[in-house]
Amino acid sequence: MQKEYEGRTEQEAIDKAIRELGLDRDQFDVEVIEKEKKGLFRKGNVRIRVYYGSDSNADDNTEDYDDEDSEPAETEEDRNPEPQNDNERKILEFLDTLIMKMGYTGKSSISFRRDSKIGLNIESDDSSIIIGRKGKNLDAIQLITNVYAGNLDPDIKVVIDSENYRMRHEEQIIRTAYRTAADVRRTGRSRLLDPMNPFERRLVHTALNDFDGVETKSEGEGLYKQVRILPKK
């Protein structure tokens, strides 16, 4: 879940979130979406977006993706790449237009439907650019598309992929986590992984939950934090 708060400073906005949500600071992630405007004739509050519950990086190693064992079996309609309603048609048209406005060619289609979540896949000769370094461009496209989809229906969540990047990226994160954990267990020295978003951090926490001899914790501020893998005491 996520909510937005305002304050004269980032800390004031965070304090508001703590009071209203009744959570400790380490139980939610913060993204600054509007910085304080400074200057003689410019005034403005700081606006933050708080991620908590299933959207935050709680240290209980919970996951933010679907458990296939607990989901109903997929139907042909779930896999049908053609839009099934006006909202799906509008979202596909928006995504295709966005890719075109970026100066690239591409065609989007529906890869899956699950509850209020819809998966979109972009086929393009420029897929490497659309994905970007470490998926940054793909994440930005997904964020913009989710803003548009949220205006159509606040319950819709859009997941965008291209060339199966997200699956390959998740597998790479897990392989790196296992390799680093083995090194920590062998040397007895903790290691920090690269900064990751909440979903990626949960992948690491979950993957290493049953890895003997190590434990994990998140460090840092903001949306992108680092996971430290350390010897279990």
Side-chain angles (χ1 to χ4, degrees):
M1 292 179 286
Q2 53 185 278
K3 293 188 72 172
E4 293 182 8
Y5 295 90
E6 283 189 10
R8 288 172 296 179
T9 66
E10 181 180 344
Q11 188 57 53
E12 182 178 292
I14 290 173
D15 289 341
K16 286 183 180 179
I18 291 173
R19 288 195 300 270
E20 181 175 319
L21 299 175
L23 299 174
D24 293 330
R25 175 61 187 85
D26 61 357
Q27 291 180 290
F28 59 84
D29 291 306
V30 174
E31 177 186 8
V32 178
I33 57 178
E34 187 173 332
K35 296 183 178 180
E36 180 183 5
K37 296 182 177 70
K38 297 181 178 180
L40 184 60
F41 301 105
R42 293 186 294 172
K43 294 181 180 179
N45 287 344
V46 175
R47 180 186 292 271
I48 64 172
R49 181 175 293 124
V50 170
Y51 299 85
Y52 62 101
S54 61
D55 285 334
S56 71
N57 180 44
D59 285 330
D60 58 1
N61 297 336
T62 55
E63 299 177 63
D64 188 32
Y65 51 91
D66 298 302
D67 183 350
E68 294 180 358
D69 293 334
S70 63
E71 292 289 341
E74 264 191 351
T75 66
E76 288 300 320
E77 183 177 300
D78 292 331
R79 297 188 296 270
N80 190 339
E82 297 301 321
Q84 301 297 300
N85 53 55
D86 286 341
N87 281 347
E88 291 186 357
R89 276 188 285 273
K90 289 178 180 179
I91 293 171
L92 286 172
E93 289 173 2
F94 175 84
L95 181 55
D96 287 343
T97 302
L98 177 60
I99 299 300
M100 181 185 67
K101 294 287 188 180
M102 292 172 62
Y104 305 109
T105 59
K107 181 66 177 176
S108 59
S109 61
I110 296 171
S111 55
F112 71 83
R113 300 175 183 84
R114 194 165 298 144
D115 297 329
S116 59
K117 184 183 293 185
I118 177 174
L120 305 183
N121 183 64
I122 301 173
E123 294 184 9
S124 172
D125 292 335
D126 304 302
S127 58
S128 61
I129 301 175
I130 289 173
I131 293 169
R133 185 173 181 271
K134 294 187 176 181
K136 296 294 186 183
N137 293 348
L138 195 64
D139 286 345
I141 292 169
Q142 179 172 288
L143 176 61
I144 294 170
T145 305
N146 268 294
V147 171
Y148 174 79
N151 289 327
L152 299 176
D153 183 346
D155 293 328
I156 292 179
K157 181 177 181 181
V158 180
V159 178
I160 298 178
D161 201 358
S162 183
E163 300 286 345
N164 287 323
Y165 167 78
R166 296 202 183 280
M167 180 182 296
R168 291 186 285 109
H169 182 56
E170 290 169 17
E171 291 174 349
Q172 178 61 39
I173 288 174
I174 293 173
R175 283 197 298 270
T176 300
Y178 278 131
R179 185 170 61 249
T180 306
D183 185 59
V184 168
R185 185 170 58 184
R186 178 178 58 83
T187 64
R189 295 194 298 269
S190 68
R191 292 275 301 276
L192 268 176
L193 300 179
D194 290 337
M196 291 179 280
N197 63 37
F199 174 74
E200 293 168 339
R201 294 196 303 272
R202 277 190 291 278
L203 284 178
V204 175
H205 289 307
T206 303
L208 299 183
N209 192 41
D210 296 322
F211 196 99
D212 290 338
V214 303
E215 56 187 358
T216 60
K217 68 175 182 178
S218 294
E219 296 183 0
E221 298 293 334
L223 186 62
Y224 283 82
K225 297 180 182 178
Q226 292 177 274
V227 174
R228 181 177 292 278
I229 304 174
L230 59 162
K232 184 176 291 185
K233 297 179 181 179

